[in-house]
Amino acid sequence: MGDTLTPPTLGPDLLGELTGRRVLILGDGTAAHAAHLVRAYGASVDAVGSEPGAHHGALPGLRLVRADVVEFLRTAAADPYDVICSLDTDPRPLLPALASALKPGGTLCLTVPAAQKPWTDLLAEHGLRLHVEHLDDGHASHRVLRAIRPLRVSSRPRTPRPPVPHAALGVGAILHGPRGLLLGRHHRGTWELPGGTVEAGESLQETVVRELAEETGLRADPADVRLLGTLLDDVDGVVRVTVASHVTAWRGEPADQPGEKVGDWRWFPLDRLPENLFVCSAQGLTAWRPELPVDHTPAHFTPYATD
Protein backbone atom coordinates (compact mmCIF):
# COMPACT_ATOMS: atom_id res chain seq x y z
CA MET A 1 0.00 0.00 0.00
CA GLY A 2 3.03 2.30 -0.18
CA ASP A 3 1.67 4.21 -3.17
CA THR A 4 -2.05 4.13 -2.37
CA LEU A 5 -2.20 7.94 -2.37
CA THR A 6 -0.70 10.13 -5.06
CA PRO A 7 1.44 13.01 -3.77
CA PRO A 8 -1.04 15.76 -4.70
CA THR A 9 -3.62 14.10 -2.44
CA LEU A 10 -1.38 14.58 0.59
CA GLY A 11 -1.62 18.32 0.95
CA PRO A 12 -3.26 21.06 3.02
CA ASP A 13 -6.78 20.11 1.88
CA LEU A 14 -6.45 16.82 3.69
CA LEU A 15 -3.77 17.49 6.29
CA GLY A 16 -4.28 21.16 7.15
CA GLU A 17 -1.43 23.65 7.44
CA LEU A 18 1.91 22.03 6.59
CA THR A 19 4.45 24.85 6.35
CA GLY A 20 6.98 24.44 9.13
CA ARG A 21 5.04 21.52 10.65
CA ARG A 22 6.58 18.25 11.81
CA VAL A 23 5.09 15.35 9.86
CA LEU A 24 5.46 11.60 10.32
CA ILE A 25 4.63 9.22 7.46
CA LEU A 26 4.35 5.49 7.97
CA GLY A 27 4.37 2.95 5.15
CA ASP A 28 5.54 5.33 2.39
CA GLY A 29 7.43 2.71 0.41
CA THR A 30 9.50 4.99 -1.85
CA ALA A 31 9.24 8.05 0.41
CA ALA A 32 7.71 9.89 -2.56
CA HIS A 33 4.88 11.34 -0.48
CA ALA A 34 7.30 12.46 2.22
CA ALA A 35 9.56 14.15 -0.32
CA HIS A 36 6.54 15.84 -1.91
CA LEU A 37 5.46 17.38 1.41
CA VAL A 38 8.97 18.69 2.01
CA ARG A 39 9.39 20.22 -1.47
CA ALA A 40 5.87 21.56 -1.99
CA TYR A 41 4.95 22.78 1.49
CA GLY A 42 8.15 23.16 3.50
CA ALA A 43 7.21 20.50 6.02
CA SER A 44 9.78 18.66 8.11
CA VAL A 45 9.05 14.97 7.47
CA ASP A 46 10.17 11.73 9.05
CA ALA A 47 9.40 8.68 6.89
CA VAL A 48 9.40 5.41 8.83
CA GLY A 49 9.28 2.08 7.06
CA SER A 50 10.40 3.24 3.62
CA GLU A 51 12.03 0.72 1.32
CA PRO A 52 15.81 0.43 1.48
CA GLY A 53 16.05 1.66 -2.12
CA ALA A 54 14.18 4.89 -1.46
CA HIS A 55 16.44 7.81 -2.40
CA HIS A 56 15.74 11.50 -2.81
CA GLY A 57 19.22 12.90 -2.47
CA ALA A 58 20.22 15.13 0.40
CA LEU A 59 16.80 16.75 0.76
CA PRO A 60 16.80 19.09 3.78
CA GLY A 61 13.76 18.44 5.95
CA LEU A 62 13.41 14.76 4.96
CA ARG A 63 14.60 12.02 7.27
CA LEU A 64 14.35 8.33 6.34
CA VAL A 65 14.07 6.25 9.50
CA ARG A 66 14.88 2.56 9.72
CA ALA A 67 13.15 1.43 12.92
CA ASP A 68 10.39 -0.73 14.28
CA VAL A 69 7.22 1.34 13.91
CA VAL A 70 5.78 0.63 17.37
CA GLU A 71 9.08 1.33 19.13
CA PHE A 72 9.54 4.53 17.15
CA LEU A 73 6.04 5.74 18.03
CA ARG A 74 6.68 5.11 21.70
CA THR A 75 9.76 7.33 21.63
CA ALA A 76 7.90 9.93 19.54
CA ALA A 77 5.42 10.50 22.36
CA ALA A 78 8.09 12.61 24.10
CA ASP A 79 8.21 14.98 21.11
CA PRO A 80 4.89 14.49 19.28
CA TYR A 81 4.13 15.39 15.67
CA ASP A 82 1.77 17.98 14.18
CA VAL A 83 0.66 15.55 11.45
CA ILE A 84 0.86 11.77 11.12
CA CYS A 85 -0.02 9.81 7.98
CA SER A 86 -0.36 6.03 8.06
CA LEU A 87 -0.59 4.51 4.59
CA ASP A 88 -0.83 0.93 5.91
CA THR A 89 -4.01 -1.03 5.22
CA ASP A 90 -4.78 -1.76 8.88
CA PRO A 91 -3.55 0.85 11.38
CA ARG A 92 -5.85 -0.40 14.16
CA PRO A 93 -3.10 -2.12 16.21
CA LEU A 94 -1.10 1.12 16.10
CA LEU A 95 -3.87 3.46 17.28
CA PRO A 96 -2.75 3.76 20.93
CA ALA A 97 0.81 4.60 19.87
CA LEU A 98 -0.36 6.87 17.03
CA ALA A 99 -2.56 8.90 19.39
CA SER A 100 0.32 9.32 21.87
CA ALA A 101 2.69 10.47 19.13
CA LEU A 102 0.27 13.19 17.92
CA LYS A 103 0.15 16.68 19.40
CA PRO A 104 -3.14 18.03 20.78
CA GLY A 105 -4.74 19.77 17.83
CA GLY A 106 -2.76 17.60 15.41
CA THR A 107 -4.07 15.71 12.39
CA LEU A 108 -4.00 11.95 11.79
CA CYS A 109 -4.52 10.65 8.23
CA LEU A 110 -5.28 6.96 7.75
CA THR A 111 -5.82 4.85 4.65
CA VAL A 112 -8.13 1.96 5.52
CA PRO A 113 -10.13 -0.69 3.64
CA ALA A 114 -13.62 0.58 2.78
CA ALA A 115 -15.14 -2.43 4.54
CA GLN A 116 -13.72 -1.39 7.92
CA LYS A 117 -16.58 0.48 9.63
CA PRO A 118 -17.30 2.28 11.83
CA TRP A 119 -14.19 4.21 12.89
CA THR A 120 -15.80 6.99 14.93
CA ASP A 121 -16.03 5.02 18.19
CA LEU A 122 -12.70 3.29 17.67
CA LEU A 123 -10.89 6.60 17.26
CA ALA A 124 -12.75 8.13 20.19
CA GLU A 125 -11.48 5.35 22.47
CA HIS A 126 -7.99 6.74 21.91
CA GLY A 127 -8.87 10.42 22.30
CA LEU A 128 -9.22 11.10 18.56
CA ARG A 129 -12.13 12.68 16.74
CA LEU A 130 -13.07 11.66 13.18
CA HIS A 131 -13.12 14.80 11.04
CA VAL A 132 -13.79 13.62 7.50
CA GLU A 133 -13.69 10.46 5.43
CA HIS A 134 -13.95 9.77 1.71
CA LEU A 135 -13.09 7.14 -0.85
CA ASP A 136 -9.53 7.12 -2.07
CA ASP A 137 -9.65 8.52 -5.61
CA GLY A 138 -7.24 5.88 -6.85
CA HIS A 139 -8.71 2.83 -5.10
CA ALA A 140 -12.46 2.68 -4.44
CA SER A 141 -11.82 -0.26 -2.11
CA HIS A 142 -10.13 2.07 0.35
CA ARG A 143 -11.11 5.16 2.33
CA VAL A 144 -9.03 8.04 3.59
CA LEU A 145 -9.82 9.11 7.14
CA ARG A 146 -8.80 12.38 8.68
CA ALA A 147 -8.92 12.53 12.46
CA ILE A 148 -7.79 15.14 14.92
CA ARG A 149 -6.56 14.97 18.48
CA PRO A 150 -8.72 17.68 20.06
CA LEU A 151 -7.17 20.44 22.12
CA ARG A 152 -9.88 19.80 24.69
CA VAL A 153 -11.78 16.63 25.56
CA SER A 154 -15.51 16.75 24.84
CA SER A 155 -18.41 15.62 27.01
CA ARG A 156 -22.05 14.96 26.29
CA PRO A 157 -25.21 13.86 28.14
CA ARG A 158 -26.19 10.21 28.04
CA THR A 159 -29.68 11.12 26.83
CA PRO A 160 -31.61 14.29 25.93
CA ARG A 161 -34.03 13.54 28.77
CA PRO A 162 -33.43 15.21 32.14
CA PRO A 163 -32.30 13.00 35.03
CA VAL A 164 -34.92 11.42 37.25
CA PRO A 165 -35.39 13.67 40.32
CA HIS A 166 -34.03 11.92 43.38
CA ALA A 167 -32.22 14.55 45.42
CA ALA A 168 -32.78 18.00 46.91
CA LEU A 169 -29.79 20.36 47.02
CA GLY A 170 -29.68 23.35 49.33
CA VAL A 171 -27.33 25.59 51.29
CA GLY A 172 -27.27 26.79 54.86
CA ALA A 173 -25.46 30.01 55.81
CA ILE A 174 -23.84 30.41 59.22
CA LEU A 175 -23.44 34.05 60.27
CA HIS A 176 -21.76 34.41 63.64
CA GLY A 177 -20.54 37.68 65.10
CA PRO A 178 -20.28 39.65 68.34
CA ARG A 179 -24.06 39.51 68.81
CA GLY A 180 -24.25 35.75 68.29
CA LEU A 181 -25.60 33.38 65.65
CA LEU A 182 -28.29 34.52 63.21
CA LEU A 183 -31.42 32.35 63.17
CA GLY A 184 -34.92 32.93 61.82
CA ARG A 185 -38.25 31.30 62.58
CA HIS A 186 -40.03 29.38 59.82
CA HIS A 187 -43.80 29.78 59.67
CA ARG A 188 -44.02 26.10 60.70
CA GLY A 189 -42.20 26.85 63.94
CA THR A 190 -38.61 25.69 63.43
CA TRP A 191 -35.61 27.98 63.92
CA GLU A 192 -33.14 27.86 61.08
CA LEU A 193 -30.17 29.34 59.30
CA PRO A 194 -30.63 31.52 56.22
CA GLY A 195 -30.50 29.36 53.13
CA GLY A 196 -32.46 27.58 50.48
CA THR A 197 -32.43 25.66 47.23
CA VAL A 198 -29.72 26.02 44.59
CA GLU A 199 -31.03 27.42 41.32
CA ALA A 200 -29.82 26.51 37.82
CA GLY A 201 -26.65 28.31 36.75
CA GLU A 202 -25.58 29.32 40.26
CA SER A 203 -22.44 28.48 42.14
CA LEU A 204 -22.97 27.42 45.75
CA GLN A 205 -21.46 30.69 46.95
CA GLU A 206 -23.85 32.65 44.73
CA THR A 207 -26.78 30.70 46.16
CA VAL A 208 -25.73 31.64 49.68
CA VAL A 209 -25.48 35.33 48.75
CA ARG A 210 -28.86 35.31 46.95
CA GLU A 211 -30.72 33.46 49.70
CA LEU A 212 -29.20 35.68 52.36
CA ALA A 213 -30.46 38.79 50.57
CA GLU A 214 -33.89 37.34 49.78
CA GLU A 215 -34.57 36.09 53.32
CA THR A 216 -32.84 38.67 55.54
CA GLY A 217 -31.93 41.69 53.41
CA LEU A 218 -28.27 41.28 54.33
CA ARG A 219 -25.67 41.73 51.59
CA ALA A 220 -22.55 39.63 51.17
CA ASP A 221 -19.97 38.84 48.50
CA PRO A 222 -19.31 35.33 47.17
CA ALA A 223 -15.65 35.76 48.12
CA ASP A 224 -16.75 36.00 51.77
CA VAL A 225 -18.57 32.65 51.68
CA ARG A 226 -16.52 29.67 52.88
CA LEU A 227 -18.03 26.32 51.98
CA LEU A 228 -17.58 23.91 54.89
CA GLY A 229 -18.71 20.64 53.35
CA THR A 230 -21.58 18.43 52.23
CA LEU A 231 -24.18 16.89 54.51
CA LEU A 232 -26.16 13.90 53.23
CA ASP A 233 -29.30 12.43 54.75
CA ASP A 234 -32.60 11.19 53.35
CA VAL A 235 -36.27 11.96 53.83
CA ASP A 236 -38.69 9.24 52.74
CA GLY A 237 -36.18 7.89 50.23
CA VAL A 238 -35.22 11.28 48.76
CA VAL A 239 -31.54 12.15 49.20
CA ARG A 240 -31.19 15.53 50.88
CA VAL A 241 -27.92 17.32 50.15
CA THR A 242 -27.08 20.38 52.21
CA VAL A 243 -23.89 22.38 51.79
CA ALA A 244 -23.00 24.12 55.04
CA SER A 245 -21.27 27.47 54.65
CA HIS A 246 -19.74 30.15 56.86
CA VAL A 247 -20.25 33.78 55.83
CA THR A 248 -17.32 35.78 57.18
CA ALA A 249 -18.51 39.31 56.28
CA TRP A 250 -21.85 40.96 55.53
CA ARG A 251 -23.53 44.35 55.35
CA GLY A 252 -26.80 45.63 56.79
CA GLU A 253 -29.23 44.52 59.48
CA PRO A 254 -31.39 41.39 59.20
CA ALA A 255 -35.09 42.09 58.66
CA ASP A 256 -38.19 40.19 57.59
CA GLN A 257 -38.63 40.19 53.82
CA PRO A 258 -42.00 40.19 51.98
CA GLY A 259 -43.19 36.79 50.80
CA GLU A 260 -40.54 34.78 52.67
CA LYS A 261 -41.40 31.81 54.88
CA VAL A 262 -38.68 32.59 57.43
CA GLY A 263 -38.57 35.76 59.51
CA ASP A 264 -38.27 37.09 63.06
CA TRP A 265 -34.48 37.11 62.61
CA ARG A 266 -32.53 37.17 65.85
CA TRP A 267 -28.96 36.79 67.15
CA PHE A 268 -28.50 33.92 69.63
CA PRO A 269 -25.51 33.18 71.87
CA LEU A 270 -24.06 29.79 71.05
CA ASP A 271 -24.67 28.59 74.62
CA ARG A 272 -28.35 29.59 74.49
CA LEU A 273 -29.61 28.35 71.15
CA PRO A 274 -33.39 27.95 70.82
CA GLU A 275 -35.19 24.63 70.86
CA ASN A 276 -36.69 23.13 67.69
CA LEU A 277 -33.86 23.84 65.30
CA PHE A 278 -34.54 22.77 61.72
CA VAL A 279 -32.68 19.49 61.28
CA CYS A 280 -30.59 20.68 58.29
CA SER A 281 -29.54 23.79 60.21
CA ALA A 282 -28.67 21.66 63.24
CA GLN A 283 -26.54 19.37 61.06
CA GLY A 284 -24.74 22.36 59.57
CA LEU A 285 -24.06 23.90 62.96
CA THR A 286 -22.46 20.75 64.36
CA ALA A 287 -20.39 20.40 61.20
CA TRP A 288 -19.12 23.94 61.87
CA ARG A 289 -18.73 23.53 65.64
CA PRO A 290 -18.83 19.84 66.64
CA GLU A 291 -18.80 20.77 70.34
CA LEU A 292 -22.23 22.47 70.18
CA PRO A 293 -24.81 20.61 72.31
CA VAL A 294 -27.27 20.12 69.45
CA ASP A 295 -29.14 16.87 68.82
CA HIS A 296 -30.26 15.89 65.30
CA THR A 297 -30.74 12.90 63.04
CA PRO A 298 -27.45 11.58 61.62
CA ALA A 299 -25.97 12.95 58.43
CA HIS A 300 -22.87 11.99 56.44
CA PHE A 301 -20.56 15.04 56.50
CA THR A 302 -17.75 15.43 53.97
CA PRO A 303 -15.62 18.51 54.75
CA TYR A 304 -14.18 20.59 51.94
CA ALA A 305 -11.38 22.28 53.86
CA THR A 306 -10.26 23.12 57.36
CA ASP A 307 -8.77 26.30 58.78
Side-chain angles (χ1 to χ4, degrees), residues 46 74 136 213 227 232:
D46 290 344
R74 287 200 184 108
D136 175 8
L227 302 178
L232 294 177

Side-chain angles (χ1 to χ4, degrees), residues 237-269:
V238 176
V239 178
R240 181 165 54 187
V241 184
T242 304
V243 177
S245 67
H246 181 209
V247 181
T248 58
W250 60 87
R251 303 178 295 279
E253 288 291 329
D256 293 1
Q257 302 299 308
E260 292 297 317
K261 297 179 180 179
V262 183
D264 193 15
W265 295 99
R266 304 183 198 177
W267 299 97
F268 290 88

Side-chain angles (χ1 to χ4, degrees), residues 225-300:
V225 177
R226 186 169 70 91
L227 302 178
L228 302 178
T230 300
L231 291 148
L232 294 177
D233 67 359
D234 68 87
V235 180
D236 293 333
V238 176
V239 178
R240 181 165 54 187
V241 184
T242 304
V243 177
S245 67
H246 181 209
V247 181
T248 58
W250 60 87
R251 303 178 295 279
E253 288 291 329
D256 293 1
Q257 302 299 308
E260 292 297 317
K261 297 179 180 179
V262 183
D264 193 15
W265 295 99
R266 304 183 198 177
W267 299 97
F268 290 88
L270 292 181
D271 61 353
R272 293 193 298 276
L273 296 177
E275 294 288 333
N276 298 318
L277 288 172
F278 177 46
V279 65
C280 292
S281 295
Q283 292 166 343
L285 287 171
T286 56
W288 171 58
R289 296 280 182 90
E291 73 277 8
L292 289 175
V294 177
D295 294 326
H296 56 72
T297 55
H300 295 284

Side-chain angles (χ1 to χ4, degrees), residues 1-212:
M1 285 298 298
D3 294 316
T4 296
L5 299 175
T6 60
T9 302
L10 289 183
D13 289 344
L14 184 62
L15 304 180
E17 178 61 39
L18 288 166
T19 304
R21 299 296 178 91
R22 293 183 65 244
V23 179
L24 172 64
I25 297 186
L26 307 176
D28 184 4
T30 62
H33 309 314
H36 170 73
L37 296 183
V38 173
R39 293 192 181 102
Y41 305 108
S44 176
V45 183
D46 290 344
V48 178
S50 298
E51 296 168 0
H55 179 68
H56 295 277
L59 181 59
L62 174 62
R63 184 169 69 119
L64 303 181
V65 180
R66 302 284 185 265
D68 177 80
V69 172
V70 174
E71 289 300 321
F72 182 85
L73 288 172
R74 287 200 184 108
T75 60
D79 187 17
Y81 288 86
D82 300 295
V83 178
I84 299 178
C85 296
S86 174
L87 307 184
D88 293 332
T89 56
D90 189 2
R92 289 175 294 183
L94 297 177
L95 275 179
L98 287 169
S100 298
L102 187 66
K103 284 183 179 179
T107 297
L108 174 64
C109 178
L110 305 173
T111 303
V112 301
Q116 287 183 356
K117 291 185 179 182
W119 275 81
T120 302
D121 291 342
L122 182 59
L123 291 168
E125 290 175 10
H126 301 286
L128 300 166
R129 187 178 302 161
L130 182 61
H131 183 67
V132 67
E133 63 177 285
H134 58 79
L135 288 176
D136 175 8
D137 294 336
H139 297 266
S141 61
H142 289 79
R143 291 178 296 147
V144 179
L145 309 182
R146 178 185 177 186
I148 61 171
R149 182 179 175 187
L151 291 170
R152 300 178 64 85
V153 176
S154 66
S155 64
R156 64 178 180 85
R158 293 193 191 102
T159 167
R161 299 189 301 273
V164 176
H166 71 286
L169 174 61
V171 298
I174 298 169
L175 280 69
H176 182 249
R179 290 185 287 173
L181 174 74
L182 183 63
L183 293 171
R185 196 199 316 258
H186 195 278
H187 69 82
R188 293 183 176 174
T190 54
W191 288 93
E192 52 195 78
L193 300 169
T197 304
V198 179
E199 294 184 354
E202 288 183 326
S203 69
L204 293 170
Q205 291 90 339
E206 289 169 341
T207 300
V208 171
V209 169
R210 176 183 55 76
E211 289 286 352
L212 189 61

